[in-house]
Structures are given as C-alpha cells and as structure tokens.
C-alpha cells in the first residue's frame, strides 16, 4: 500500500475504532473514495465492536466481576492494537480474530 493511500484513509481508519458509532462514521467517510487502508480498519473496527457487544451480552448473564474484568482487558488490548496500527499506517490484523474479521466482512470496502 502506498503512502498516499494510507494518508488519505488514516482519519477514517482511526475513527473506525470508536466503539459503536465510529464504524458507521468511518463507513460514511469512506463511501466515496473506497480507500483500501480505511476499509481494512473499518472491517477490524466493526469486528471489534461486534465482539465487544457479543461478549458483553454473554458476560452480563453472569453478573460477576471476575468474568467481566478479563473481557474488558481482552477488548482493551485488541482496541489498542488496532488503533495504534491505524495511527502507524499498518495493515496488520488484530491478534486471534483479525483474519476472521477480514474474511467475514470482506464485502465492506
């Protein structure tokens, strides 16, 4: 990926990591230009958001802090990895789930 593509898509890529609404904002930012760097991080951000909500719904049934804390740590580590790779201009998938996010959401460009 060339530097121009990364620079043009960096704002949308970083925005995609704002859990919840950030993915939709980034998708609208990327709707016209279809920047491949931004699309990569939008898929990662969407996957992270869905993982966050899915784990949150699952763990809320237990109502136990000993189960909730590891989920928050897991999501925080993935979020940090994703946002820092967007800031640095890298397209490395997140550990564990990143390749699956790219495969599942490949229609998002």
């Amino acid at each position: 990926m060339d530097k121009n593509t990364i620079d043009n898509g960096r704002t949308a890529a970083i925005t995609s990591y704002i859990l919840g609404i950030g993915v939709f904002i980034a998708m609208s930012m990327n709707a016209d230009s279809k920047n491949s760097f931004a699309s990569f991080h939008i898929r990662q951000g969407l996957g992270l958001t869905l993982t966050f909500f899915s784990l949150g719904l699952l763990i809320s049934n237990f109502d136990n802090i000993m189960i909730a804390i590891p989920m928050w740590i897991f999501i925080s580590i993935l979020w940090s990895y994703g946002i820092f790779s967007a800031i640095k201009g890298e397209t490395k998938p997140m550990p564990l789930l990143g390749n699956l996010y790219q495969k599942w959401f490949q229609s998002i460009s």
Side-chain angles (χ1 to χ4, degrees):
M1 207 169 297
D2 64 340
K3 185 173 176 11
N4 191 31
T5 303
I6 292 170
D7 289 340
N8 290 336
R10 190 175 308 232
T11 304
I14 293 169
T15 304
S16 70
Y17 288 104
I18 300 170
L19 289 178
I21 194 75
V23 173
F24 299 111
I25 293 170
M27 287 172 109
S28 68
M29 291 169 68
N30 196 39
D32 294 334
S33 64
K34 301 292 186 201
N35 185 291
S36 58
F37 177 73
S39 295
F40 174 86
H41 285 286
I42 289 170
R43 289 189 290 269
Q44 295 289 297
L46 177 61
L48 182 62
T49 300
L50 293 176
T51 302
F52 173 71
F53 285 124
S54 300
L55 286 176
L57 285 172
L58 181 68
I59 288 173
S60 68
N61 292 325
F62 296 105
D63 196 29
N64 186 342
I65 193 103
M66 296 302 286
I67 297 173
I69 296 286
M71 186 230 18
W72 282 100
I73 292 171
F74 177 69
I75 293 296
S76 297
I77 289 170
L78 290 181
W79 178 82
S80 299
Y81 187 88
I83 199 160
F84 285 122
S85 70
I87 290 169
K88 291 191 305 188
E90 299 173 344
T91 55
K92 291 193 286 189
M94 289 182 198
L96 300 176
L97 301 171
N99 289 324
L100 293 173
Y101 296 157
Q102 292 301 314
K103 188 171 110 178
W104 292 339
F105 306 122
Q106 64 187 344
S107 63
I108 297 174
S109 58

